[in-house]
Amino acid sequence: MKKMYMESLEGIEKKAVSDILTERGVEVLPAGEEKHGVGLSGSLDQNLNYAAFQMECRDGSVKIRYGSPTGFFRGLGEYILTGEDAKKEGTKGRHGAMFDCSRNGVLRVESIKKWIRRMALLGYSRLFLYTEDTYEVEGYPYFGALRGRYKTEEIRECDAYAAMFGIEMIPCVQTLAHLRTMLRWPAMMGYRDDEDILIAGEEKTYQLIDAMLKSLSEMYTSRKIHLGMDEAFYLGFGNYRKKNGVPNQGELIKKHLDRVLQICKKYGLEPMIWSDMFFVNAGGGDYYQVPADYEWPEEEKPDRSVTLVYWDYEGHDRERYARMARLHRKLTDQVCFAGAAWIWNGLAPNYAKALDASRAAFEGIREAGVSDTFLTLWLDNGAETPMETGLPMLAAYSAYMYGKVPDKEKMEQVMKGLFGVSWDDFCLLDAFDHIPGTGEHNEKFANPSKTIFYQDPLVGIFDRQFEDLELEGYYRDLAGRLENAEERNGKMRGLFHYYRLLAAADAAKSTLGTRIRSSYLKEDKETLKKIASEELPELIRIILELKKEREQIWMKEYKPNGYEVLDIRISGVAARLLSAKERIESWIEGKEGCLEELEEERLIYLEEESGERRIPSCNLWENIVSACNIKGV
């Protein structure tokens, strides 16, 4: 298919279709030039349910009947894939994807538009933009200062663009916790309960929230809004406690929510919130351990007009999801489920866990009668994993949305046909952390690729953890496979090149600290001299090339703000390798009597009660690079 002309699309924006086809190398011609290409038309059919479509391909024309714009774009995607007649049912629920724009990476407008086009072809109807303080609020200049926050016009542009594809763009914000970056400013100290949580019950807090919701209501056309309110575990135990005494958390969050709901009503907003703060106390401190027969006291129940978002990223048992979904339905009829893309595992995605958790989730929530869902693409600890790695899970989650199983053959067809990249090659990225010993689905979300990459060559916090695992050969093999993938995936060549460099760096670093210390203790100066003169300079070269590639990926996806954090982290790896080189050479030359940091015995970082080592999950950079206090507190 090289050329296409478009007839009447009855409400489907031609520009939206044109953007999708042009992106795929299709020349879009004016209507009437049918002899030069394939004609496309569409018609709304009230007999088809939401997101359903029927497609007929005859004599140079494509006719799509659809139940909603979502159905039309699903049909267009099917035509791009097969070019054959097709009929697909819709879905009872509304399905979306949530993009984290608060963990330093703030998606560029063009990036959001690209994700909108992808979502449309996969049958999504909602886009949640997660912005803690990365949007403008009139009268509060420190709100999102120096963070790359969105201007009002940028949100409006994205909102209007999404609407052309039948996608509702919904603000996903925070009105209680997770506001650390805003509350860090001296000018905002009066709003703090603690460093992460707004102080409840204070009028100035609700004046701020009023300004936030006013701004959002003017940016987005949707009246739906996600208010956050999750993980406020220490709510009331900071400055609130100093002023008011020990709080009843259940009652306090209920009162706070009621005040925020009043503001929502003022601006005609329909709220939803993460549900965990209504479950943690009931579960004895654990969100997921609430007994199936639990009944909430009336004074602790949220307003039933609020949609509760049940988020669960870790379970692999359908019964857990079914039990939790039924418990949510005790509190409200409006329940939405949020699943996981697991692109926040460290430096690489964890597809194995994401796929199996999504399978169990859809089985469980459907059993309990929950149909609305969205996929979360979080960017924990600084957006180290590129957002682009979320594409395979966006495609797989779409299959689950429409009652299909995302088998390997079908996913390869979808990824290549719609996006020009290989599912199999993307799945190589899962191997960075899914090393032998991490289980079938990397259930405990181990992330050795991050700990190996960042750990110091002279301190070696994780050296004992990974000894004898033969990871050098493992990562060298992975680097070779990624080099081949790099050649096959021209559209994302830079992404695969970055990961090839990461595999090469991990291969070299996986045994580096152990070899340096072992050679030092044996006074094997020849080996140390080779490490210092040959291996470390080459590794530094790889790290600097990796940094350059990562910066290019970042600047294409995100605004510049936030990259300074990755710049410092990756540059720090190279700097410490250079320091190791100089320290080793100084000792060899007799300028240092000893290398004190190599004298101390190394310890196993994590082991089971049985004494067996477990591959750890350690996703905080500051806990990897040093055993000392990097925060300086």
Side-chain angles (χ1 to χ4, degrees):
M1 181 176 66
K2 296 296 182 182
K3 297 181 180 180
M4 180 173 280
Y5 66 93
M6 291 182 284
E7 299 172 359
S8 170
L9 295 178
E10 296 190 15
I12 299 295
E13 291 278 0
K14 289 187 178 182
K15 183 180 184 306
V17 179
S18 178
D19 282 358
I20 284 178
L21 296 175
T22 301
E23 191 173 48
R24 281 148 188 79
V26 178
E27 182 183 357
V28 181
L29 303 170
E33 297 190 19
E34 56 270 21
K35 62 183 178 180
H36 299 295
V38 177
L40 172 67
S41 62
S43 60
L44 185 65
D45 190 333
Q46 301 293 344
N47 294 317
L48 294 175
N49 64 14
Y50 187 84
F53 71 88
Q54 292 182 359
M55 181 174 66
E56 296 179 359
C57 305
R58 295 284 186 279
D59 302 323
S61 67
V62 183
K63 295 182 180 180
I64 301 175
R65 293 163 52 213
Y66 55 92
S68 69
T70 302
F72 172 82
F73 285 103
R74 280 187 74 207
L76 182 61
E78 188 70 19
Y79 176 71
I80 293 171
L81 282 175
T82 67
E84 300 174 353
D85 291 1
K87 179 180 180 180
K88 295 268 178 97
E89 289 302 311
T91 173
K92 292 181 179 178
R94 301 294 182 265
H95 303 287
M98 186 221 76
F99 297 89
D100 184 354
C101 294
S102 294
R103 299 298 188 281
N104 295 348
V106 177
L107 285 170
R108 292 184 181 276
V109 168
E110 287 307 314
S111 294
I112 294 174
K113 289 181 177 180
K114 178 175 64 176
W115 283 105
I116 287 169
R117 294 191 291 271
R118 291 167 166 176
M119 291 171 65
L121 291 175
L122 292 169
Y124 286 84
S125 58
R126 289 176 172 176
L127 187 156
F128 294 83
L129 200 65
Y130 182 76
T131 51
E132 291 173 355
D133 63 338
T134 48
Y135 59 95
E136 289 183 320
V137 176
E138 186 177 355
Y140 294 86
Y142 289 95
F143 192 93
L146 306 179
R147 295 255 286 140
R149 62 189 170 199
Y150 289 110
K151 296 181 176 66
T152 298
E153 311 85 73
E154 290 177 314
I155 294 293
R156 287 174 177 168
E157 181 180 347
C158 293
D159 183 87
Y161 192 78
M164 293 196 310
F165 294 83
I167 291 176
E168 180 183 17
M169 194 161 143
I170 300 171
C172 188
V173 298
Q174 288 291 351
T175 54
L176 185 56
H178 290 296
L179 289 169
R180 180 183 305 261
T181 51
M182 181 268 289
L183 292 171
R184 63 171 287 177
W185 294 97
M188 305 305 291
M189 291 294 177
Y191 297 90
R192 290 175 58 151
D193 188 350
D194 70 6
E195 63 180 6
D196 192 53
I197 304 172
L198 289 171
I199 186 166
E202 295 285 332
E203 285 306 312
K204 66 187 307 180
T205 295
Y206 301 106
Q207 291 168 7
L208 169 61
I209 294 173
D210 188 293
M212 292 159 60
L213 299 192
K214 180 177 185 294
S215 293
L216 293 163
S217 69
E218 294 170 352
M219 294 176 185
Y220 295 80
T221 54
S222 174
R223 293 299 86 190
K224 293 181 173 58
I225 185 169
H226 196 317
L227 299 170
M229 295 201 188
D230 59 311
E231 296 183 321
F233 301 125
Y234 300 104
L235 171 66
F237 284 90
N239 289 323
Y240 180 93
R241 181 180 182 181
K242 294 177 184 177
K243 291 185 177 184
N244 304 287
V246 178
N248 177 316
Q249 277 196 326
E251 292 182 9
L252 183 57
I253 193 170
K254 172 70 164 55
K255 289 178 181 178
H256 178 74
L257 175 59
D258 288 345
R259 285 295 302 273
V260 178
L261 293 184
Q262 291 176 19
I263 302 171
C264 286
K265 188 174 182 180
K266 174 181 177 181
Y267 294 109
L269 299 172
E270 303 168 20
M272 57 178 66
I273 62 171
W274 306 110
S275 67
D276 54 278
M277 288 305 292
F278 291 93
F279 280 72
V280 171
N281 286 339
D286 190 328
Y287 182 19
Y288 305 106
Q289 294 302 318
V290 181
D293 60 354
Y294 184 82
E295 297 293 338
W296 279 263
E298 284 299 320
E299 64 273 14
E300 293 185 9
K301 292 181 180 179
D303 190 300
R304 294 189 73 87
S305 67
V306 178
T307 296
L308 290 182
V309 181
Y310 160 39
W311 57 274
D312 196 339
Y313 314 142
E314 298 181 17
H316 293 267
D317 177 10
R318 64 180 290 172
E319 291 305 316
R320 161 169 156 157
Y321 292 97
R323 172 178 55 82
M324 286 292 289
R326 291 190 185 102
L327 282 164
H328 278 73
R329 289 175 66 87
K330 286 186 177 185
L331 293 172
T332 178
D333 293 329
Q334 301 180 80
V335 180
C336 182
F337 173 76
W342 273 101
I343 61 169
W344 59 87
N345 208 51
L347 298 177
N350 186 351
Y351 297 139
K353 181 171 183 62
L355 287 166
D356 193 64
S358 296
R359 171 202 57 78
F362 273 92
E363 290 175 356
I365 64 172
R366 281 182 173 144
E367 180 183 317
V370 171
S371 54
D372 287 359
T373 74
F374 62 90
L375 176 71
T376 62
L377 294 95
W378 295 107
L379 298 172
D380 292 12
N381 199 233
E384 291 179 316
T385 304
M387 187 71 84
E388 283 289 270
T389 64
L391 183 57
M393 276 308 302
L394 194 79
Y397 200 83
S398 169
Y400 285 122
M401 282 161 27
Y402 290 97
K404 306 296 182 182
V405 176
D407 63 87
K408 179 180 175 180
E409 182 178 346
K410 178 63 176 176
M411 288 298 97
E412 185 71 18
Q413 179 191 15
V414 169
M415 290 288 284
K416 280 188 175 177
L418 295 185
F419 310 121
V421 291
S422 167
W423 167 269
D424 284 347
D425 287 340
F426 256 105
C427 287
L428 290 174
L429 305 186
D430 184 73
F432 274 93
D433 293 326
H434 198 178
I435 66 173
T438 54
E440 183 180 0
H441 307 295
N442 193 5
E443 295 90 344
K444 295 188 182 295
F445 36 96
N447 59 352
S449 65
K450 179 170 179 173
T451 51
I452 290 169
F453 181 76
Y454 282 129
Q455 81 159 345
D456 194 278
L458 297 180
V459 177
I461 293 175
F462 296 89
D463 279 348
R464 283 288 308 280
Q465 200 71 34
F466 298 125
E467 66 182 1
D468 304 325
L469 293 184
E470 300 181 357
L471 292 180
E472 182 176 2
Y474 177 88
Y475 282 116
R476 289 203 188 285
D477 176 70
L478 180 57
R481 288 185 286 160
L482 285 165
E483 185 174 12
N484 294 329
E486 186 181 332
E487 297 299 321
R488 289 192 293 265
N489 294 274
K491 284 190 174 183
M492 293 192 183
R493 185 186 185 105
L495 184 74
F496 284 99
H497 181 58
Y498 162 71
Y499 275 109
R500 175 167 68 85
L501 292 169
L502 178 60
D506 278 348
K509 289 200 73 188
S510 63
T511 60
L512 179 63
T514 301
R515 290 171 55 233
I516 288 174
R517 184 168 183 269
S518 174
S519 298
Y520 168 76
L521 293 177
K522 291 187 293 188
E523 297 190 11
D524 182 356
K525 293 186 177 182
E526 285 303 311
T527 297
L528 284 175
K529 185 176 181 180
K530 182 179 179 183
I531 290 173
S533 63
E534 299 178 20
E535 295 183 27
L536 290 177
E538 172 60 13
L539 182 51
I540 290 170
R541 184 197 66 77
I542 291 172
I543 298 299
L544 293 178
E545 185 180 348
L546 176 149
K547 184 174 82 74
K548 182 179 179 181
E549 193 66 61
R550 186 66 187 90
E551 181 176 0
Q552 291 176 353
I553 294 169
W554 181 286
M555 296 304 173
K556 186 176 180 181
E557 283 191 322
Y558 306 124
K559 297 184 179 187
N561 304 72
Y563 178 71
E564 67 273 16
V565 174
L566 280 193
D567 200 359
I568 290 166
R569 291 180 182 180
I570 299 173
S571 298
V573 175
R576 287 300 296 163
L577 290 170
L578 179 59
S579 294
K581 177 181 185 300
E582 293 171 347
R583 292 278 288 158
I584 292 169
E585 289 174 340
S586 182
W587 180 74
I588 291 173
E589 294 167 5
K591 296 177 182 178
E592 295 284 345
C594 69
L595 297 179
E596 294 178 78
E597 59 269 56
L598 298 180
E599 298 280 345
E600 187 171 348
E601 189 67 30
R602 300 300 190 248
L603 301 173
I604 293 175
Y605 183 83
L606 178 67
E607 60 184 5
E608 305 284 7
E609 290 183 7
S610 63
E612 294 183 14
R613 283 178 294 172
R614 193 180 93 199
I615 310 301
S617 171
C618 187
N619 201 18
L620 291 177
W621 170 81
E622 59 267 30
N623 290 344
I624 298 171
V625 294
S626 176
C628 297
N629 193 342
I630 201 163
K631 291 185 177 181
V633 184

